[in-house]
Amino acid sequence: MTHYAARASLAGLLMIAALTGCTRWIDVMPSSTGRAESPARAVEEQERVPLVMESFRLVTNGSPQDPSASVERRVLNHVQETKLFSTLIPLGSGPGSAPGKTVAARLVIEETVDPHSGETAFKGFVIGASMFLLSPAIELTYDYAAQATLELERWDGEVKRYAAQSAGTARYNLFGATPLMIDELKGQVTEACLTQLIDQLVNDTTFYVASSAPLPDGPIRTITVKARKPTSGLAVLPVSTPAP
């Protein structure tokens, strides 16, 4: 009976450790929750021009990466909410599908991932079953930061640049790390950056309306040909001289 009670107590402790050992939370600075419900300004339909995604670069810890289509979709969705542009043309569609006045968008996202986070988690996992009961006391972290730069070029060549940055930390106890948690952290940090960019963009609404600038004239090349003046007083030299 004593042996059974000891086993039951151990099982209860293991269950408590399992429940408390998976505790996790995320801190993001700055938060993306302070945005107004309707950041867009009223822009008449005839004043809206298309926006073309011209380039999108993603850099992680200094190394170029293939940009995610889901991130581009999130950017375009945020821009669409402003109701500032008539059409949003994704990357690869080409500016030829939107003749006339257009705004070209170039986006760069630089990610910084804590290079020691994976190593720290690994050391925590190799503690082993003998340390399982101590898992609630072992706190691990995963740090992620992002800096986003958005460059918009108007049809007349004028350029506006916007920059935003955010950082976050996922804190979790041993055995609490999951890919879903890491994705949630990255999503919240990216959302905070995009919110800042769009807020800056909306402040320049009048810069992007169709009436803000005329279309630049196409380059016209002119060639001036001057008439050659006749020469006088010069003898014509014969090709051959006849023998005397």
Side-chain angles (χ1 to χ4, degrees):
M1 185 71 178
T2 304
H3 179 67
Y4 176 78
R7 291 180 61 184
S9 299
L10 179 59
L13 289 175
L14 289 174
M15 181 174 295
I16 295 174
L19 293 175
T20 58
C22 293
T23 303
R24 55 183 183 269
W25 63 97
I26 295 175
D27 297 326
V28 175
M29 292 296 294
S31 175
S32 61
T33 58
R35 187 178 181 185
E37 293 183 1
S38 180
R41 299 181 182 179
V43 179
E44 297 180 359
E45 187 174 352
Q46 64 271 20
E47 288 285 349
R48 301 175 186 174
V49 301
L51 180 136
V52 181
M53 182 64 73
E54 188 176 88
S55 65
F56 177 22
R57 293 177 53 236
L58 177 64
V59 180
T60 302
N61 286 349
S63 300
Q65 307 291 330
D66 291 331
S68 171
S70 61
V71 176
E72 181 192 6
R73 195 177 306 114
R74 289 179 63 180
V75 174
L76 294 179
N77 287 341
H78 278 70
V79 175
Q80 185 177 17
E81 291 176 358
T82 67
K83 299 180 180 179
L84 176 57
F85 301 98
S86 61
T87 308
L88 304 179
I89 302 176
L91 188 66
S93 297
S97 58
K101 294 182 176 181
T102 60
V103 173
R106 294 179 282 270
L107 177 66
V108 179
I109 296 181
E110 298 177 84
E111 300 177 322
T112 302
V113 180
D114 180 6
H116 303 293
S117 57
E119 179 182 355
T120 302
F122 176 76
K123 289 181 179 179
F125 281 112
V126 298
I127 291 177
S130 61
M131 298 292 292
F132 184 79
L133 293 177
L134 297 179
S135 61
I138 301 175
E139 180 180 304
L140 304 175
T141 61
Y142 185 100
D143 296 327
Y144 177 80
Q147 179 174 343
T149 304
L150 178 63
E151 182 179 277
L152 296 182
E153 181 177 353
R154 200 170 57 180
W155 53 91
D156 62 344
E158 292 291 330
V159 176
K160 290 279 189 179
R161 292 181 178 88
Y162 310 100
Q165 57 184 1
S166 179
T169 300
R171 306 180 187 278
Y172 55 96
N173 293 330
L174 189 61
F175 307 111
T178 63
L180 182 62
M181 180 196 67
I182 303 303
D183 290 341
E184 183 179 355
L185 169 64
K186 292 183 177 181
Q188 291 188 24
V189 171
T190 302
E191 184 71 17
C193 282
L194 295 181
T195 299
Q196 296 177 61
L197 290 179
I198 297 303
D199 288 345
Q200 296 174 49
L201 170 62
V202 170
N203 290 333
D204 290 332
T205 294
T206 55
F207 181 80
Y208 300 104
V209 296
S211 60
S212 61
L215 275 172
D217 295 331
I220 301 176
R221 297 182 179 180
T222 59
I223 301 176
T224 303
V225 179
K226 294 183 178 179
R228 186 175 182 180
K229 296 181 180 180
T231 57
S232 59
L234 294 179
V236 178
L237 297 178
V239 176
S240 61
T241 302

